[in-house]
Amino acid sequence: MEKAAKILKKPITSTLIAVVCGFLIAGVIIALMGYSPMEALGLLIKGVFSRPKYIFKVIEKSTPLILTGVSVAFAFRTGLFNIGAEGQYIVGSVAATVVGIKLSFPPIIQIPVVIFAGILAGAIFGVIVGFLKARFGIHEVITGIMLNWVALYLCNFVVNSHEFNKPSNSKTYSINQSGYTTILYNWKSSKAGIEFLRNNKWLSDILLKTDVNVGFLVAILVAVLVWFMLNKTTIGFGVRAVGLNPFAAEFAGIGVKRHITTTMAISGSICGLAAALTITGTSPHGLYLLTMFENVGFNGLFVALIAGSSPISCIFSGLFFGGLIYGGNSIQSGLGVPSEIINITIGTILFFVALTKVVPEIANRLAKRRENNA
Amino acid sequence: MLNDILPILGTMLMYSAPLIFGALGGVVSERSGVINIGIEGMMTFGAFMGAAVGYYSGNPWIGFLAGGVAGALLSALHAIASISFNADQTISGIALNLIGPGLSLFLCRVMFSDQTVTYPVQNKLPKVFGSIDITVVIALVLTAFIWFILYKTKWGLRIRAVGEHPAAADTLGVNVYAIRYVSVILSGLLSGFGGAAMTLAVVSQFSPAAISGQGFMALAAVIFGKWTPFGAYGACLLFAFAQALTVNLGGVNFVPSEILNMLPYVLTIVILVLFVGKSVAPKADGVPYEKGMR
């Protein structure tokens, strides 16, 4: 009994319960529609794991989600709700594209410069939100939402401008190739590479059909760094203190306002990084016209919330999220169930994540009952 | 001069109605102490059900009501989670923002031969005074009605008390849970109306882009309007006015349209900095109430 209570109290248990509940409800909906839920689950799993190409596609899709998730999670720790992650991601991609097209250095300079441009743009949008909150007390949700739209139109402005528009296309030119972070980009299309890949099916499946890039490794590194910063440094201590109780923090001499601005700068720069890595790492290596939000930043909210705002857990919830989105397509193509079932599933999981505060409570009750009986 | 201004005002009123419904929903819910970030999801579901029922019944009013009921159903989930289960209200609301559009598009594909748009409704909601949507009038009346309820009736006093200091209200015999349930479900009803106002009055069908950010704008309007019905109403008019400006100035050549499109959002931030300042939420907003808690 005691053991059961202990297991129930672990955060991972309630998350897993939420995931199972989400799948169950999605299964019921699929069954009500007259399809077989098991078949759908099988297709989903196949769509993610059955070929190396799929696995790498999932990793590619997950990379920006992990980073925007880490960004949102970090802001959460200061008690800030960074709904502006979407806009910070968009301006990051705008800056990376503009710089990547305009400048042409050798890769060793070009790549850092392009990525730095993305980070800087994201940070600036983050700082605006943080500064307005710290200086004027304007709610971060309002400024975040407004700046999302500003970023969207900024992106479309660049896409439509003479300077960057690829003629008769609703997208920009690609950035200069020296800025690509796709792994073995040149070798893939070289003679030796083609020859080698012809004899190696497994590798060619991955290298030629996906944009394998360094982004995923960077994302893991950033998640670990942010975890370290939060838990092992003075800044992180301040951030957590402000998040837990701003009044106590202020009283203890921790500058609440300064921390709000700093947090948003860091949070925004992580979103900018996510965008820059997408631009340098995956085709089309540029911007395209946005008729609606792409939700990379908004999905970061889900990733962070499912991860319980822990940067390390964001790696797993990001992969999970990316897998569901990518694998969901195979449910639609294979079974005819609308792929929106995936959104419903994720939403339901999140809903149960909100509910699962109850689980530790049940554990407490179990423990108490035991005490009473003893 | 008047001929220049009138079309802008007309467009403003047209765009404002869905926002106002959503914002009123936000006001009611948050005044009772429950944060409602899920307005966007509820509006989307309301927009879909409004258009779908409006199409199948042929009567836009039945569609409008169905939209409200759809929003209320979703908000009931939010109410159960955040009131009975003490769930994190932000997470639950965001979950609804995923479930609402997901469910809408899912059902849309099922009901409308695998398409993500509904067939256009035969009859839209009627217009009054020439060319003004009736939803504009309903929105204004509802704003006044909710203002009256909140500030002039004992029900309103209870809603506000529960949002500021639930424990004190509880001591005086107010049923905190019941008041919050009613407020949150009412909030969903209003948001659903907002969605239906979009698909039954502004346009005549549901599409994935029908509700794109209006729920979040409504959320901003709630905060901008300092959690009061008329404050939120004014904020919505302002957002809609800025939007109308960009629509009507669309023909001007010297400013790129994308830059013009940014105007409403930049304007909002500027106005907040210059005139409005700090916004303070109801004291117990977002805090689950547990009996006996200190």
Side-chain angles (χ1 to χ4, degrees):
Chain A
M1 201 62 151
E2 203 166 298
K3 211 171 185 184
K6 230 182 208 169
I7 294 173
L8 280 179
K9 267 190 180 173
K10 286 202 171 145
I12 180 79
T13 314
S14 28
T15 310
L16 287 180
I17 292 176
V19 169
V20 170
C21 290
F23 275 111
L24 278 179
I25 292 203
V28 169
I29 295 176
I30 292 176
L32 283 178
M33 302 266 317
Y35 298 102
S36 151
M38 288 323 285
E39 208 175 320
L41 187 65
L43 280 171
L44 177 68
I45 293 172
K46 253 195 200 158
V48 175
F49 294 108
S50 65
R51 277 174 70 179
K53 172 189 147 188
Y54 296 156
I55 298 180
F56 278 84
K57 267 282 181 207
V58 168
I59 291 178
E60 183 193 314
K61 292 257 180 270
S62 307
T63 304
L65 296 178
I66 294 172
L67 284 168
T68 49
V70 169
S71 156
V72 173
F74 184 72
F76 260 130
R77 288 300 185 88
T78 326
L80 293 171
F81 187 50
N82 188 11
I83 203 168
E86 184 75 26
Q88 292 148 19
Y89 180 87
I90 297 175
V91 284
S93 57
V94 171
T97 305
V98 168
V99 170
I101 293 174
K102 279 282 153 198
L103 299 181
S104 175
F105 290 116
I108 191 125
I109 304 173
Q110 179 85 356
I111 293 173
V113 167
V114 169
I115 288 185
F116 180 72
I119 292 178
L120 188 68
I124 291 173
F125 260 48
V127 163
I128 297 177
V129 173
F131 174 76
L132 290 178
K133 166 102 180 178
R135 175 75 177 75
F136 299 102
I138 298 170
H139 207 292
E140 75 271 15
V141 168
I142 301 191
T143 25
I145 291 170
M146 300 302 150
L147 288 179
N148 286 347
W149 289 99
V150 172
L152 180 109
Y153 288 116
L154 187 69
C155 171
N156 289 348
F157 173 67
V158 172
V159 172
N160 286 332
S161 65
H162 284 293
E163 197 97 30
F164 298 102
N165 183 262
K166 198 170 178 180
S168 71
N169 262 309
S170 54
K171 57 184 181 188
T172 62
Y173 290 107
S174 299
I175 61 169
N176 286 315
Q177 244 183 54
S178 59
Y180 285 14
T181 54
T182 321
I183 287 172
L184 299 174
Y185 185 80
N186 287 322
W187 180 78
K188 276 201 278 208
S189 43
S190 73
K191 225 175 186 174
I194 292 172
E195 193 60 35
F196 181 84
L197 289 175
R198 191 172 293 151
N199 299 321
N200 201 327
K201 267 262 152 58
W202 193 82
L203 207 59
S204 72
D205 197 31
I206 297 171
L207 278 179
L208 296 184
K209 292 187 179 149
T210 72
D211 291 317
V212 193
N213 65 80
V214 294
F216 184 59
L217 301 176
V218 178
I220 292 179
L221 192 71
V222 168
V224 173
L225 273 178
V226 168
W227 171 83
F228 182 82
M229 187 164 69
L230 268 174
N231 294 298
K232 306 284 172 194
T233 67
T234 325
I235 298 181
F237 180 77
V239 163
R240 283 184 296 136
V242 172
L244 288 173
N245 187 340
F247 302 106
E250 186 81 65
F251 190 68
I254 295 170
V256 173
K257 292 184 172 176
R258 194 167 49 84
H259 271 92
I260 287 177
T261 315
T262 318
T263 304
M264 284 311 301
I266 296 173
S267 185
S269 60
I270 301 174
C271 286
L273 172 68
L277 286 172
T278 306
I279 296 290
T280 58
T282 61
S283 54
H285 298 280
L287 305 170
Y288 40 88
L289 204 67
L290 295 175
T291 48
M292 273 199 285
F293 289 113
E294 283 183 303
N295 291 341
V296 183
F298 286 130
N299 288 344
L301 293 173
F302 308 121
V303 170
L305 291 172
I306 290 177
S309 299
S310 144
I312 302 286
S313 309
C314 281
I315 301 174
F316 302 103
S317 69
L319 280 171
F320 177 66
F321 202 103
L324 279 182
I325 292 179
Y326 186 72
N329 295 327
S330 55
I331 296 186
Q332 177 155 4
S333 57
L335 204 59
V337 175
S339 63
E340 280 80 21
I341 190 70
I342 291 298
N343 285 354
I344 299 176
T345 312
I346 298 171
T348 317
I349 291 174
L350 200 60
F351 188 72
F352 280 101
V353 165
L355 284 182
T356 45
K357 247 171 105 186
V358 182
V359 175
E361 227 164 79
I362 294 173
N364 276 338
R365 264 181 223 165
L366 279 178
K368 242 184 214 162
R369 194 184 296 165
R370 197 185 144 80
E371 263 167 42
N372 292 343
N373 290 345
Chain B
M1 188 62 191
L2 198 64
N3 283 336
D4 291 330
I5 294 175
L6 277 181
I8 297 183
L9 290 183
T11 322
M12 171 186 86
L13 289 176
M14 183 176 91
Y15 281 124
S16 71
L19 285 180
I20 294 167
F21 285 109
L24 287 177
V27 168
V28 172
S29 167
E30 304 219 353
R31 280 318 273 266
S32 81
V34 180
I35 289 185
N36 193 351
I37 288 186
I39 298 175
E40 175 89 3
M42 298 173 193
M43 281 181 82
T44 311
F45 196 40
F48 166 71
M49 287 305 272
V53 173
Y55 170 77
Y56 280 116
S57 68
N59 184 334
W61 288 108
I62 297 179
F64 191 65
L65 280 181
V69 172
L73 280 178
L74 269 193
S75 71
L77 288 178
H78 185 52
I80 294 170
S82 51
I83 302 167
S84 295
F85 283 89
N86 299 332
D88 188 312
Q89 298 168 11
T90 309
I91 305 184
S92 152
I94 290 190
L96 290 187
N97 282 341
L98 211 53
I99 295 174
L103 213 54
S104 306
L105 290 173
F106 186 90
L107 292 175
C108 191
R109 282 188 200 268
V110 173
M111 290 162 70
F112 294 89
S113 53
D114 206 25
Q115 294 195 343
T116 54
V117 288
T118 63
Y119 304 132
V121 292
Q122 304 91 324
N123 306 307
K124 287 169 79 172
L125 289 170
K127 291 186 187 298
V128 285
F129 307 125
S131 62
I132 294 174
D133 288 324
I134 188 131
T135 46
V136 172
V137 181
I138 301 176
L140 179 61
V141 171
L142 271 178
T143 309
F145 178 69
I146 286 172
W147 171 84
F148 182 78
I149 295 273
L150 272 181
Y151 295 100
K152 300 290 167 194
T153 67
K154 66 178 181 188
W155 301 106
L157 184 64
R158 286 177 184 171
I159 291 176
R160 287 181 294 136
V162 160
E164 292 291 333
H165 203 313
D170 198 2
T171 326
L172 294 172
V174 176
N175 187 339
V176 176
Y177 300 109
I179 298 271
R180 285 191 171 175
Y181 259 97
V182 171
S183 303
V184 171
I185 290 173
L186 191 62
S187 142
L189 184 79
L190 289 165
S191 306
F193 282 153
M198 193 70 190
T199 49
L200 288 168
V202 179
V203 291
S204 58
Q205 64 190 143
F206 171 82
S207 69
I211 299 294
S212 54
Q214 281 89 344
F216 290 117
M217 293 300 282
L219 191 67
V222 172
I223 305 174
F224 197 167
K226 301 199 166 170
W227 288 270
T228 62
F230 278 106
Y233 184 86
C236 291
L237 280 191
L238 179 81
F239 293 159
F241 177 71
Q243 190 140 34
L245 266 188
T246 62
V247 171
N248 286 279
L249 293 179
V252 185
N253 279 326
F254 55 90
V255 190
S257 66
E258 294 89 359
I259 302 295
L260 208 57
N261 280 325
M262 290 179 194
L263 192 73
Y265 311 106
V266 176
L267 197 67
T268 306
I269 296 179
V270 171
I271 288 177
L272 279 169
V273 171
L274 292 182
F275 304 110
V276 182
K278 201 171 170 65
S279 33
V280 181
K283 211 166 179 190
D285 205 7
V287 188
Y289 178 63
E290 291 174 60
K291 255 187 192 302
M293 153 183 92
R294 270 178 286 183

